[in-house]
């Protein structure tokens, strides 16, 4: 499958996953051949991109840390808890906890899985989808830090709600495209403390969980906010969340820019060790990020193109690649798969951009 910006969608393409609107309405079911009307419908939503099947490698699909269904349930549960809180000023975390327990069990089961690509979210529900995704990534890190299940559920709860202070801000500010005014920046910078103040008054929420909201923008070098805490004063919970939060923000499509692909985000993250984030937690996290995710089309230094079919933890730079073309770039009739750990002189030189993959796919049958 291939992630395609909605602007590139055309009738005849096949959806590789279900497509939902911001309200959770199912727009297109997985495996549907898109009609003109469906394309127009998707383009009307605030989705940045969706997954489609590339004719060159129809069958390739990455396994995910959590199923799309559980992820979506979590987004909906978070949205309704926060919406109810806005009206009643009562935060009912019970339905959330139920969803989170399922999510945690699923992540424990998939503790060795790699992060290939992310959910497709709309710009409108960005903050909710971002919170759920930050939660999934944080729990994946913590499972690998061998946290017991109860502690994982606490972390999951705090991470889901880490930006609740932000969720209280008006949509106009959250969706603003241009630079913020000094007053607006001040409001945004207040969200960790606002969130903390909301969470610490909820009886069932442990204080360490409320501190996730308070501390998630602190940096290990003491240059974060709101309290300029240094590494030794930042809770491990918050250090874990800071890594997950930053990564998810980098790879997300936003109205003003396209999300980075994993190998770009990987490099940016590497540069943040010891300044923004904790080095050990970061390195642990990065062992689970597929630099060349399943479905990525890469060029090798002998000129051949191939698609990544499998990535093993800690061997991210040497994935399995199914060769698509010969050295001259002509499509092969018979595609063979190679394990790059067995071909150590072959190097991946680049990852093709979305448009190039799209063009390569189009040459099939012509
Ligand atoms: Fe935040």
């Amino acid at each position: 499958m291939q992630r395609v910006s909605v602007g590139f969608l055309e009738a005849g393409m096949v959806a590789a996953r279900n497509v939902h609107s911001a309200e959770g309405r199912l727009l297109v079911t997985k495996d549907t051949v898109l009609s003109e009307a469906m394309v127009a419908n998707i383009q009307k939503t605030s989705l940045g991109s969706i997954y489609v099947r590339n004719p060159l490698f129809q069958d390739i699909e990455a396994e995910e840390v959590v199923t799309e269904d559980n992820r979506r349930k979590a987004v909906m549960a978070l949205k309704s808890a926060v919406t109810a809180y806005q009206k009643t000023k009562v935060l009912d975390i019970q339905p959330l906890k139920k969803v989170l327990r399922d999510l945690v069990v699923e992540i424990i089961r998939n503790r060795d899985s790699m992060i290939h690509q992310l959910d497709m979210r709309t710009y409108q529900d960005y903050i909710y989808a971002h919170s759920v995704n930050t939660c999934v990534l944080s729990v994946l890190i913590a499972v690998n830090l061998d946290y017991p299940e109860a502690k994982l559920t606490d972390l999951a709860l705090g991470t889901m709600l880490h930006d609740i202070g932000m969720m209280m801000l008006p949509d106009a500010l959250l969706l603003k495209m241009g630079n913020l005014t000094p007053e607006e920046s001040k409001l945004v910078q207040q969200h960790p403390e606002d969130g903390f103040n909301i969470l610490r008054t909820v009886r069932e929420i442990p204080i360490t969980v409320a501190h996730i909201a308070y501390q998630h923008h602190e940096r290990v070098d003491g240059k974060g906010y709101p309290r300029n805490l240094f590494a030794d004063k930042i809770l491990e919970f918050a250090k874990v969340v800071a890594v997950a939060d930053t990564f998810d923000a980098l790879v997300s499509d936003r109205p003003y820019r396209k999300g980075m692909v994993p190998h770009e985000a990987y490099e940016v993250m590497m540069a943040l060790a010891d300044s923004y984030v904790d080095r050990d937690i970061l390195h642990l996290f990065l062992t689970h990020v597929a630099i060349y995710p399943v479905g990525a089309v890469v060029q090798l230094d002998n000129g051949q193109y191939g698609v990544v079919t499998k990535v093993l933890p800690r061997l991210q730079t040497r994935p399995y690649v199914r060769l698509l073309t010969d050295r001259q770039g002509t499509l092969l009739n018979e595609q063979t798969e190679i394990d790059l750990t067995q071909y150590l002189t072959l190097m991946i030189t680049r990852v093709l951009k979305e448009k190039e993959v799209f063009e390569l796919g189009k040459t099939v049958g012509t």
Side-chain angles (χ1 to χ4, degrees):
M1 62 168 137
Q2 185 196 345
R3 178 169 160 180
V4 173
S5 302
V6 295
F8 280 131
L9 286 178
E10 285 177 4
M13 287 180 168
V14 181
R17 282 186 177 184
N18 290 341
V19 182
H20 291 93
S21 70
E23 296 74 38
R25 202 159 42 86
L26 183 64
L27 298 175
V28 174
T29 326
K30 182 180 169 183
D31 294 324
T32 304
V33 181
L34 299 181
S35 65
E36 297 275 358
M38 287 171 185
V39 170
N41 219 353
I42 295 168
Q43 287 170 338
K44 262 189 262 157
T45 67
S46 57
L47 276 162
S49 32
I50 69 161
Y51 284 104
V52 297
R53 295 202 186 281
N54 187 306
L56 266 183
F57 41 88
Q58 297 265 19
D59 55 316
I60 290 180
E61 216 160 305
E63 273 173 32
E64 289 300 299
V65 182
V66 291
T67 62
E68 185 193 307
D69 205 34
N70 277 349
R71 199 189 283 274
R72 214 164 40 79
K73 271 189 205 147
V75 173
M76 292 301 151
L78 178 62
K79 231 180 192 175
S80 50
V82 171
T83 315
Y85 174 77
Q86 278 164 328
K87 287 188 199 127
T88 62
K89 294 292 161 218
V90 177
L91 187 63
D92 178 9
I93 58 163
Q94 290 318 318
L96 256 188
K97 278 188 100 168
K98 198 176 161 294
V99 173
L100 288 175
R101 273 194 288 268
D102 292 346
L103 219 57
V104 165
V105 168
E106 197 177 9
I107 300 168
I108 292 174
R109 197 173 53 231
N110 297 335
R111 60 177 292 154
D112 292 324
S113 58
M114 303 289 289
I115 299 147
H116 292 279
Q117 68 260 306
L118 298 154
D119 58 314
M120 291 293 103
R121 57 194 70 169
T122 64
Y123 302 137
Q124 264 145 23
D125 71 356
Y126 170 76
I127 194 155
Y128 299 100
H130 167 67
S131 298
V132 170
N133 217 39
T134 305
C135 170
V136 171
L137 300 180
S138 297
V139 174
L140 182 67
I141 297 171
V143 169
N144 285 282
L145 286 168
D146 293 325
Y147 279 23
E149 197 169 326
K151 202 171 163 191
L152 289 173
T153 313
D154 277 352
L155 173 72
L157 180 65
T159 314
M160 280 282 264
L161 296 166
H162 77 283
D163 262 344
I164 190 166
M166 196 86 160
M167 292 167 188
M168 296 301 123
L169 296 174
D171 275 356
L173 180 53
L174 290 180
L175 299 172
K176 188 169 172 182
M177 304 269 249
N179 289 336
L180 301 182
T181 65
E183 294 77 43
E184 288 169 338
S185 297
K186 218 179 136 208
L187 273 179
V188 169
Q189 294 229 346
Q190 245 170 275
H191 82 271
E193 195 165 351
D194 292 347
F196 175 63
N197 284 329
I198 294 170
L199 300 184
R200 74 190 172 116
T201 54
V202 180
R203 203 165 31 87
E204 310 98 299
I205 296 183
I207 197 69
T208 47
V209 170
H211 271 281
I212 293 175
Y214 205 4
Q215 299 185 1
H216 74 276
H217 285 293
E218 298 292 354
R219 292 172 40 164
V220 291
D221 62 3
K223 291 184 183 156
Y225 65 93
R227 291 184 290 163
N228 304 111
L229 299 180
F230 278 93
D232 59 332
K233 294 280 182 287
I234 305 172
L235 290 175
E236 189 172 84
F237 268 179
K239 287 180 183 164
V240 169
V241 175
V243 169
D245 186 21
T246 310
F247 180 82
D248 189 65
L250 292 177
V251 296
S252 297
D253 289 333
R254 303 305 306 273
Y256 42 88
R257 61 148 174 81
K258 202 164 160 37
M260 289 181 187
V261 290
H263 71 277
E264 295 166 339
Y266 188 99
E267 275 188 43
V268 172
M269 291 295 290
M270 292 274 271
L272 304 181
D274 294 334
S275 55
Y276 279 80
V277 296
D278 181 273
R279 171 176 295 269
D280 295 338
I281 295 173
L282 175 68
H283 285 173
L284 175 68
F285 172 68
L286 290 179
T287 59
H288 286 270
V289 174
I291 307 173
Y292 304 113
V294 167
V297 178
V298 294
Q299 188 171 23
L300 303 172
D301 61 353
N302 66 3
Q304 286 187 284
Y305 292 105
V307 59
V308 176
T309 52
K310 188 157 89 177
V311 190
L312 300 175
R314 292 181 180 81
L315 291 171
Q316 298 114 304
T317 56
R318 313 301 296 164
Y320 285 68
V321 174
R322 188 190 293 172
L323 298 171
L324 301 173
T325 74
D326 62 18
R327 292 169 185 225
Q328 282 70 44
T330 310
L331 290 176
L332 295 169
N333 289 329
E334 220 160 282
Q335 299 176 344
T336 48
E337 187 178 81
I338 55 168
D339 169 3
L340 281 186
T341 61
Q342 303 302 313
Y343 291 84
L344 291 176
T345 53
L346 262 186
M347 297 292 160
I348 291 177
T349 52
R350 69 187 188 101
V351 180
L352 269 68
K353 299 232 180 287
E354 175 184 342
K355 203 162 180 237
E356 296 173 290
V357 178
F358 189 53
E359 293 303 323
L360 197 66
K362 270 184 145 180
T363 58
V364 176
T366 56

